[in-house]
Amino acid sequence: MTETAVPLLDLTRQIAALESELSAATARVIKSARFILGPEVADFEKAVAQYLGAHHAVGVASGTDALGVALRALDVGPGDVVLTSPFTFFATASAARGVGARLIFADIDPQTFNLDPAAVREVLEGRSPVCERLSIRPDQIKAIIPVHLYGQPVDVEAFEAISQDFSIPLVEDAAQAMGATFGKRHIGNSDHLVCFSFFPSKNLGAFGDGGLITTNNEDHAARLRLLRAHGSPRKYHHDVLGTNSRLDGLQAAILGVKLPHLDTWVQARRAHAAAYQAPFASAPGITPPLVANNCFHCYHQYTVRVADGRRDALGAHLTAHRIGSAIYYPIPLHLQAALADHGFVGGDYPISEGAAAEVLSLPIFPELTPAERDHVIGAIQTFDR
Ligand SMILES: Cc1ncc(COP(=O)(O)O)c(C=O)c1O
């Protein structure tokens, strides 16, 4: 008997389940011909702000743009430095480069894969040997971007304390964290700027690119709305230099259909993670994800560590059993060719480099069936035996 194939992600199941609602929503937008911003975007912004407990939500064209527009709103630009995690998707860095800023990193926590607040303080207190070698002074750092990697929140309180202590604004990269909470607050309910992506594979995904910035600060929100539309408060009046980064009506209508299902989908992801926990923890050399204090993990990814140089062997073993897996991310940002001009070298952020060599993400999408889940567990249990 051939084994069940288990994809890493299958979006078609979710789309099929909502097909008639999605079709009605897209037909409504097509009939209205309101394709850019408009009432669909305003309605979705209101609904998602309410879901997150945020005062303001501003739709933009992508998660990358959300970060870029947020940095522009803080007037980060050439000559400035942005501090972020070396272990994230490249967009976190490219947004900073896009506004002309230079990057510096601090290393991650090896268990959560998130930026380590103690390492960030080391940079800001001028105790980082990498900063010293690259002649980066703490006073050049104009924004900190913590990333809620895989859907696990960073220690939000620790970062808010850092932001206060050093008077440096935070821009949270929550591209992977829609539906996650820290303490009693949703990620996205904050006075600073929180950036989301609606890339189709995200926990709340559109049918194309889309993004969102949330904030509880009214001045920030007004500036974001201006910046996403060419700095124009009224047609053909441009007060500041902005850009064209607007959420489409079609994407907003689709997201509006999906949003009421988000919590159910997150619960399904968490149920899969709970089922994986014990068998994965007892598999030799495999470390399942650790959930940190106060964190409600939304499991955008379920990412294990595989010790002793056996990560690729596990990937091959899963492929042999027709199970999808992926490495998020194989090369830390400081070693990416696109940042070669920054002068980083191997060994600058050893914990991130170790993670890049050991992580593997496994199927966790909400519609995964119990049989598929059992097949993944069975394959993990037969690895290395
Ligand atoms: C951590 C992180 N930051 C930023 C982004 C950029 O989002 P987008 O693809 O919508 O531009 C993504 C997703 O792709 C991401 O995973």
Side-chain angles (χ1 to χ4, degrees):
M1 198 181 83
T2 47
E3 287 180 313
T4 330
V6 187
L8 181 62
L9 172 67
D10 180 359
L11 287 176
T12 64
R13 301 180 195 184
Q14 189 183 88
I15 294 166
L18 298 176
E19 195 167 353
S20 58
E21 283 177 81
L22 290 166
S23 298
T26 52
R28 189 177 68 232
V29 181
I30 291 167
K31 209 164 173 190
S32 78
R34 302 286 300 271
F35 295 119
I36 303 284
L37 296 176
E40 296 286 346
V41 172
D43 287 352
F44 173 68
E45 287 177 340
K46 206 166 144 201
V48 76
Q50 193 171 13
Y51 169 80
L52 295 170
H55 295 188
H56 308 278
V58 180
V60 291
S62 69
T64 308
D65 270 11
L67 292 161
V69 172
L71 290 171
R72 286 175 83 133
L74 297 172
D75 283 323
V76 176
D80 297 334
V81 175
V82 171
L83 170 55
T84 189
S85 168
F87 193 57
T88 175
F89 180 56
F90 191 72
T92 317
S94 68
R97 293 297 291 134
V99 297
R102 182 176 168 182
L103 286 152
I104 190 68
F105 302 105
D107 218 339
I108 58 168
D109 176 303
Q111 289 185 298
T112 64
F113 305 111
N114 278 333
L115 199 50
D116 177 358
V120 170
R121 281 189 182 270
E122 191 178 281
V123 171
L124 298 175
E125 288 166 4
R127 295 184 284 114
S128 152
V130 181
C131 289
E132 198 172 320
R133 192 184 79 235
L134 301 178
S135 305
I136 289 182
R137 301 184 320 271
D139 66 291
Q140 293 175 287
I141 298 171
K142 292 294 172 351
I144 302 170
I145 311 184
V147 184
H148 306 293
L149 199 71
Y150 306 142
Q152 159 132 271
V154 300
D155 183 340
V156 174
E157 278 167 14
F159 279 95
E160 286 175 343
I162 287 172
S163 173
Q164 275 208 330
D165 292 351
F166 295 90
S167 301
I168 301 175
L170 297 179
V171 174
E172 290 178 42
D173 183 339
Q176 303 185 1
M178 180 61 84
T181 67
F182 183 82
K184 291 195 165 58
R185 276 191 289 157
H186 262 121
I187 296 301
N189 169 359
S190 168
D191 289 337
H192 49 262
L193 301 168
V194 186
C195 301
F196 294 93
S197 162
F198 299 127
F199 184 80
S201 65
K202 294 293 193 268
N203 283 17
L204 181 64
F207 285 0
D209 279 315
L212 186 83
I213 310 163
T214 63
T215 181
N216 293 341
N217 178 313
E218 196 165 344
D219 294 338
H220 276 333
R223 193 155 157 75
L224 294 168
R225 289 185 190 285
L226 209 56
L227 287 170
R228 75 171 168 183
H230 285 302
S232 170
R234 273 192 298 147
K235 226 173 184 180
Y236 309 128
H237 292 70
H238 302 273
D239 292 0
V240 293
L241 271 180
T243 186
N244 170 9
S245 185
R246 301 166 299 204
L247 187 64
D248 292 349
L250 276 168
Q251 303 304 347
I254 285 155
L255 292 164
V257 169
K258 288 184 162 197
L259 181 62
H261 301 276
L262 177 63
D263 279 344
T264 310
W265 292 333
V266 170
Q267 288 303 347
R269 289 175 181 273
R270 289 171 57 83
H272 299 324
Y276 283 158
Q277 175 63 29
F280 278 52
S282 60
I286 295 179
T287 310
L290 173 124
V291 180
N293 283 344
N294 284 326
C295 291
F296 180 90
H297 195 323
C298 68
Y299 287 104
H300 173 57
Q301 298 295 346
Y302 183 88
T303 304
V304 299
R305 275 191 96 112
V306 190
D308 307 322
R310 304 281 292 143
R311 188 262 310 275
D312 294 347
L314 177 60
H317 173 78
L318 293 172
T319 304
H321 287 277
R322 307 180 70 208
I323 296 167
S325 65
I327 301 167
Y328 303 119
Y329 298 94
I331 305 172
L333 299 189
H334 65 290
L335 301 179
Q336 292 286 355
L339 298 182
D341 60 342
H342 278 52
F344 297 111
V345 294
D348 277 348
Y349 303 103
I351 303 172
S352 296
E353 291 168 32
E358 293 195 346
V359 291
L360 193 66
S361 298
L362 304 171
I364 189 90
F365 60 98
E367 299 79 14
L368 199 65
T369 66
E372 289 172 327
R373 197 166 79 189
D374 288 347
H375 183 48
V376 177
I377 293 170
I380 290 292
Q381 287 171 325
T382 56
F383 178 56
D384 243 1
R385 298 259 161 90

